[in-house]
Amino acid sequence: EEANRELDAFAYSVSHDLRAPLRAIDGFAQILVEDYGPTLDDEGRRLCGVVSDSARDMGRLIDDLLALSRVGRAALKPSAVDMRRMAAQMFAELATAADRARLDVRVADLPEATADPALMRLVWQNLIGNAIKFTSKREHAVIEVSATREGRDVVYSVRDNGAGFDMQYAGKLFGVFQRLHSVQDFEGTGVGLAIVQRIVHRHGGRVWAEGRPGEGAAFFFTCAGSHGA
């Protein structure tokens, strides 16, 4: 626990300290293009674009690191959470018009949970956002959100028929910056599932995944405060 607290403090401090120089790099690269663009050749302008894009990518990494750090420090404020309504809201917020045209979204009745609403929202946001992202190359994508009871636990799940993954690498999925697909294929920082895992663990639950390359993936999680059958 002490090591985790130190790591959170380190990530928070480093992330804040990196913001100013990153803004400077991006800003000066844009000034260079705006003020000296006519004297640069195509390759020079391209390289300036690479500098700006890389600075912005680093900024997104920092934002995700800060989000992970905040998840570890924030005090839980549990209350009743309508899981079905929250999952449906995430689809409405995250899916673009183009996504909705190709998506077949199925949200089953989900048992209510007692959880921190803000943190549980992040769980659904990351899992549903991933399902939308990793089915983006499918002309007809199916995403199913459901729940089952296993003993005393309610297991919530998000399934898709997207890119999937090789199960031999399943252990890497929930690590920070661990990616099983290239940035060129699917954008992202590799922090979202680490955030999901930390939130689920803080709620006394567990999280795991199953998948097959090219056939889709399923993510499961439990929450100690889940109710109903």
Side-chain angles (χ1 to χ4, degrees):
E1 290 177 355
E2 181 63 27
N4 284 333
R5 281 194 293 270
E6 290 177 356
L7 182 60
D8 286 340
F10 172 77
Y12 187 82
S13 175
V14 170
S15 297
H16 273 79
D17 291 343
L18 284 174
R19 285 185 178 279
L22 277 175
R23 283 195 294 266
I25 291 169
D26 185 27
F28 282 122
Q30 292 185 49
I31 291 171
L32 187 61
V33 172
E34 292 170 3
D35 293 355
Y36 299 95
T39 64
L40 296 172
D41 60 13
D42 289 343
E43 180 64 6
R45 286 189 289 273
R46 185 190 73 83
L47 291 174
C48 286
V50 170
V51 170
S52 288
D53 289 344
S54 297
R56 294 189 193 108
D57 287 343
M58 187 64 181
R60 285 189 283 271
L61 286 171
I62 288 171
D63 289 340
D64 285 348
L65 273 177
L66 285 173
L68 182 63
S69 179
R70 284 193 292 268
V71 164
R73 297 195 317 272
L76 293 179
K77 299 177 181 178
S79 63
V81 176
D82 185 334
M83 299 289 263
R84 187 184 191 284
R85 181 179 180 185
M86 187 173 281
Q89 285 178 336
M90 281 299 100
F91 276 112
E93 292 179 17
L94 297 174
T96 64
D99 289 330
R100 287 190 284 272
R102 65 176 180 80
L103 284 176
D104 178 3
V105 176
R106 306 166 186 174
V107 182
D109 288 333
L110 304 178
E112 186 179 81
T114 299
D116 185 298
L119 294 182
M120 193 53 59
R121 179 181 171 84
L122 283 175
V123 170
W124 288 114
Q125 178 180 308
N126 280 289
L127 293 181
I128 290 173
N130 273 0
I132 294 172
K133 175 170 65 176
F134 288 109
T135 58
S136 61
K137 300 184 186 300
R138 290 276 189 185
E139 290 185 11
H140 178 67
V142 179
I143 299 176
E144 298 178 279
V145 180
S146 61
T148 58
R149 177 167 287 283
E150 293 185 4
R152 299 177 61 184
D153 291 333
V154 173
V155 180
Y156 301 94
S157 65
V158 179
R159 298 175 179 271
D160 66 68
N161 66 338
F165 62 90
D166 191 325
M167 282 296 291
Q168 68 175 313
Y169 304 116
K172 293 184 176 182
L173 281 172
F174 299 97
V176 179
F177 301 143
Q178 296 289 342
R179 297 178 52 88
L180 301 187
H181 302 277
S182 70
V183 177
Q184 289 73 29
D185 290 333
F186 300 100
E187 65 178 12
T189 60
V191 179
L193 289 178
I195 290 174
V196 168
Q197 183 183 63
R198 183 167 294 193
I199 292 172
V200 170
H201 285 178
R202 291 201 64 196
H203 283 81
R206 54 196 175 92
V207 60
W208 68 98
E210 298 173 359
R212 292 175 65 89
E215 297 183 18
F219 288 84
F220 308 87
F221 71 93
T222 66
C223 177
S226 301
H227 311 294

mmCIF file of all heavy atoms in Angstrom, residues 167-185:
data_model
loop_
_atom_site.group_PDB
_atom_site.id
_atom_site.type_symbol
_atom_site.label_atom_id
_atom_site.label_comp_id
_atom_site.label_asym_id
_atom_site.label_seq_id
_atom_site.Cartn_x
_atom_site.Cartn_y
_atom_site.Cartn_z
ATOM 1 N N MET A 167 -5.448 -14.989 -26.163
ATOM 2 C CA MET A 167 -5.557 -15.222 -24.731
ATOM 3 C C MET A 167 -4.209 -15.401 -24.039
ATOM 4 O O MET A 167 -4.096 -15.197 -22.829
ATOM 5 C CB MET A 167 -6.440 -16.435 -24.457
ATOM 6 C CG MET A 167 -7.926 -16.161 -24.584
ATOM 7 S SD MET A 167 -8.537 -14.968 -23.364
ATOM 8 C CE MET A 167 -8.402 -15.908 -21.841
ATOM 9 N N GLN A 168 -3.157 -15.754 -24.768
ATOM 10 C CA GLN A 168 -1.862 -15.911 -24.118
ATOM 11 C C GLN A 168 -1.324 -14.572 -23.610
ATOM 12 O O GLN A 168 -0.417 -14.531 -22.794
ATOM 13 C CB GLN A 168 -0.855 -16.563 -25.061
ATOM 14 C CG GLN A 168 -0.438 -15.730 -26.251
ATOM 15 C CD GLN A 168 0.651 -16.409 -27.074
ATOM 16 O OE1 GLN A 168 1.630 -16.907 -26.525
ATOM 17 N NE2 GLN A 168 0.462 -16.428 -28.390
ATOM 18 N N TYR A 169 -1.901 -13.473 -24.121
ATOM 19 C CA TYR A 169 -1.483 -12.146 -23.662
ATOM 20 C C TYR A 169 -2.506 -11.494 -22.745
ATOM 21 O O TYR A 169 -2.403 -10.300 -22.444
ATOM 22 C CB TYR A 169 -1.228 -11.225 -24.869
ATOM 23 C CG TYR A 169 -0.220 -11.778 -25.846
ATOM 24 C CD1 TYR A 169 -0.584 -12.111 -27.146
ATOM 25 C CD2 TYR A 169 1.102 -11.971 -25.464
ATOM 26 C CE1 TYR A 169 0.339 -12.629 -28.046
ATOM 27 C CE2 TYR A 169 2.043 -12.485 -26.357
ATOM 28 C CZ TYR A 169 1.639 -12.815 -27.642
ATOM 29 O OH TYR A 169 2.561 -13.329 -28.513
ATOM 30 N N ALA A 170 -3.494 -12.254 -22.294
ATOM 31 C CA ALA A 170 -4.573 -11.686 -21.487
ATOM 32 C C ALA A 170 -4.052 -11.033 -20.208
ATOM 33 O O ALA A 170 -4.617 -10.057 -19.727
ATOM 34 C CB ALA A 170 -5.596 -12.773 -21.136
ATOM 35 N N GLY A 171 -2.959 -11.565 -19.656
ATOM 36 C CA GLY A 171 -2.408 -11.015 -18.428
ATOM 37 C C GLY A 171 -1.881 -9.601 -18.567
ATOM 38 O O GLY A 171 -1.727 -8.882 -17.580
ATOM 39 N N LYS A 172 -1.610 -9.182 -19.807
ATOM 40 C CA LYS A 172 -1.079 -7.843 -20.035
ATOM 41 C C LYS A 172 -2.172 -6.784 -20.182
ATOM 42 O O LYS A 172 -1.883 -5.588 -20.125
ATOM 43 C CB LYS A 172 -0.219 -7.829 -21.305
ATOM 44 C CG LYS A 172 1.060 -8.644 -21.214
ATOM 45 C CD LYS A 172 1.877 -8.472 -22.492
ATOM 46 C CE LYS A 172 3.213 -9.196 -22.391
ATOM 47 N NZ LYS A 172 4.030 -8.985 -23.620
ATOM 48 N N LEU A 173 -3.399 -7.226 -20.393
ATOM 49 C CA LEU A 173 -4.467 -6.297 -20.740
ATOM 50 C C LEU A 173 -4.660 -5.175 -19.727
ATOM 51 O O LEU A 173 -4.946 -4.043 -20.100
ATOM 52 C CB LEU A 173 -5.791 -7.056 -20.880
ATOM 53 C CG LEU A 173 -6.022 -7.816 -22.184
ATOM 54 C CD1 LEU A 173 -7.283 -8.656 -22.070
ATOM 55 C CD2 LEU A 173 -6.123 -6.858 -23.361
ATOM 56 N N PHE A 174 -4.523 -5.505 -18.442
ATOM 57 C CA PHE A 174 -4.861 -4.537 -17.401
ATOM 58 C C PHE A 174 -3.641 -3.806 -16.848
ATOM 59 O O PHE A 174 -3.726 -3.120 -15.835
ATOM 60 C CB PHE A 174 -5.624 -5.243 -16.276
ATOM 61 C CG PHE A 174 -6.922 -5.853 -16.746
ATOM 62 C CD1 PHE A 174 -6.991 -7.196 -17.087
ATOM 63 C CD2 PHE A 174 -8.057 -5.072 -16.887
ATOM 64 C CE1 PHE A 174 -8.174 -7.767 -17.533
ATOM 65 C CE2 PHE A 174 -9.254 -5.630 -17.336
ATOM 66 C CZ PHE A 174 -9.300 -6.975 -17.667
ATOM 67 N N GLY A 175 -2.498 -3.944 -17.531
ATOM 68 C CA GLY A 175 -1.298 -3.220 -17.126
ATOM 69 C C GLY A 175 -1.255 -1.834 -17.752
ATOM 70 O O GLY A 175 -1.789 -1.603 -18.841
ATOM 71 N N VAL A 176 -0.619 -0.893 -17.072
ATOM 72 C CA VAL A 176 -0.494 0.468 -17.584
ATOM 73 C C VAL A 176 0.376 0.464 -18.838
ATOM 74 O O VAL A 176 1.453 -0.139 -18.861
ATOM 75 C CB VAL A 176 0.115 1.406 -16.522
ATOM 76 C CG1 VAL A 176 0.272 2.817 -17.077
ATOM 77 C CG2 VAL A 176 -0.752 1.416 -15.273
ATOM 78 N N PHE A 177 -0.120 1.115 -19.890
ATOM 79 C CA PHE A 177 0.567 1.266 -21.181
ATOM 80 C C PHE A 177 0.719 -0.052 -21.932
ATOM 81 O O PHE A 177 1.486 -0.125 -22.893
ATOM 82 C CB PHE A 177 1.948 1.919 -21.016
ATOM 83 C CG PHE A 177 1.902 3.279 -20.389
ATOM 84 C CD1 PHE A 177 2.888 3.676 -19.503
ATOM 85 C CD2 PHE A 177 0.876 4.162 -20.663
ATOM 86 C CE1 PHE A 177 2.861 4.931 -18.913
ATOM 87 C CE2 PHE A 177 0.836 5.419 -20.082
ATOM 88 C CZ PHE A 177 1.826 5.808 -19.208
ATOM 89 N N GLN A 178 0.029 -1.099 -21.508
ATOM 90 C CA GLN A 178 0.093 -2.370 -22.235
ATOM 91 C C GLN A 178 -0.934 -2.346 -23.357
ATOM 92 O O GLN A 178 -2.114 -2.102 -23.137
ATOM 93 C CB GLN A 178 -0.185 -3.550 -21.299
ATOM 94 C CG GLN A 178 0.847 -3.729 -20.207
ATOM 95 C CD GLN A 178 2.182 -4.226 -20.747
ATOM 96 O OE1 GLN A 178 2.267 -4.751 -21.850
ATOM 97 N NE2 GLN A 178 3.229 -4.057 -19.972
ATOM 98 N N ARG A 179 -0.454 -2.602 -24.578
ATOM 99 C CA ARG A 179 -1.331 -2.609 -25.738
ATOM 100 C C ARG A 179 -1.117 -3.900 -26.519
ATOM 101 O O ARG A 179 0.021 -4.335 -26.691
ATOM 102 C CB ARG A 179 -1.035 -1.424 -26.668
ATOM 103 C CG ARG A 179 -1.268 -0.056 -26.044
ATOM 104 C CD ARG A 179 -0.906 1.037 -27.037
ATOM 105 N NE ARG A 179 -1.572 0.837 -28.301
ATOM 106 C CZ ARG A 179 -2.786 1.292 -28.604
ATOM 107 N NH1 ARG A 179 -3.452 1.996 -27.713
ATOM 108 N NH2 ARG A 179 -3.342 1.052 -29.778
ATOM 109 N N LEU A 180 -2.217 -4.493 -27.007
ATOM 110 C CA LEU A 180 -2.116 -5.700 -27.817
ATOM 111 C C LEU A 180 -2.348 -5.396 -29.297
ATOM 112 O O LEU A 180 -2.263 -6.288 -30.134
ATOM 113 C CB LEU A 180 -3.117 -6.755 -27.343
ATOM 114 C CG LEU A 180 -2.979 -7.206 -25.881
ATOM 115 C CD1 LEU A 180 -3.914 -8.373 -25.594
ATOM 116 C CD2 LEU A 180 -1.542 -7.584 -25.545
ATOM 117 N N HIS A 181 -2.656 -4.124 -29.608
ATOM 118 C CA HIS A 181 -2.834 -3.696 -31.000
ATOM 119 C C HIS A 181 -2.029 -2.422 -31.214
ATOM 120 O O HIS A 181 -1.831 -1.638 -30.281
ATOM 121 C CB HIS A 181 -4.312 -3.430 -31.310
ATOM 122 C CG HIS A 181 -5.203 -4.613 -31.072
ATOM 123 N ND1 HIS A 181 -5.362 -5.607 -31.996
ATOM 124 C CD2 HIS A 181 -5.963 -4.961 -30.006
ATOM 125 C CE1 HIS A 181 -6.193 -6.519 -31.521
ATOM 126 N NE2 HIS A 181 -6.576 -6.155 -30.305
ATOM 127 N N SER A 182 -1.563 -2.206 -32.423
ATOM 128 C CA SER A 182 -0.741 -1.037 -32.708
ATOM 129 C C SER A 182 -1.584 0.236 -32.688
ATOM 130 O O SER A 182 -2.798 0.200 -32.925
ATOM 131 C CB SER A 182 -0.061 -1.177 -34.072
ATOM 132 O OG SER A 182 -1.018 -1.062 -35.110
ATOM 133 N N VAL A 183 -0.924 1.373 -32.411
ATOM 134 C CA VAL A 183 -1.606 2.668 -32.412
ATOM 135 C C VAL A 183 -2.141 2.977 -33.802
ATOM 136 O O VAL A 183 -3.158 3.652 -33.955
ATOM 137 C CB VAL A 183 -0.637 3.774 -31.936
ATOM 138 C CG1 VAL A 183 -1.300 5.142 -32.004
ATOM 139 C CG2 VAL A 183 -0.166 3.489 -30.516
ATOM 140 N N GLN A 184 -1.437 2.486 -34.838
ATOM 141 C CA GLN A 184 -1.890 2.733 -36.208
ATOM 142 C C GLN A 184 -3.231 2.060 -36.474
ATOM 143 O O GLN A 184 -4.055 2.582 -37.240
ATOM 144 C CB GLN A 184 -0.841 2.226 -37.215
ATOM 145 C CG GLN A 184 0.435 3.044 -37.282
ATOM 146 C CD GLN A 184 1.326 2.855 -36.068
ATOM 147 O OE1 GLN A 184 1.300 1.781 -35.446
ATOM 148 N NE2 GLN A 184 2.096 3.872 -35.720
ATOM 149 N N ASP A 185 -3.460 0.911 -35.850
ATOM 150 C CA ASP A 185 -4.730 0.205 -36.046
ATOM 151 C C ASP A 185 -5.838 0.771 -35.166
ATOM 152 O O ASP A 185 -6.963 0.981 -35.615
ATOM 153 C CB ASP A 185 -4.550 -1.285 -35.752
ATOM 154 C CG ASP A 185 -3.713 -1.993 -36.800
ATOM 155 O OD1 ASP A 185 -3.701 -1.534 -37.960
ATOM 156 O OD2 ASP A 185 -3.059 -2.994 -36.458
#
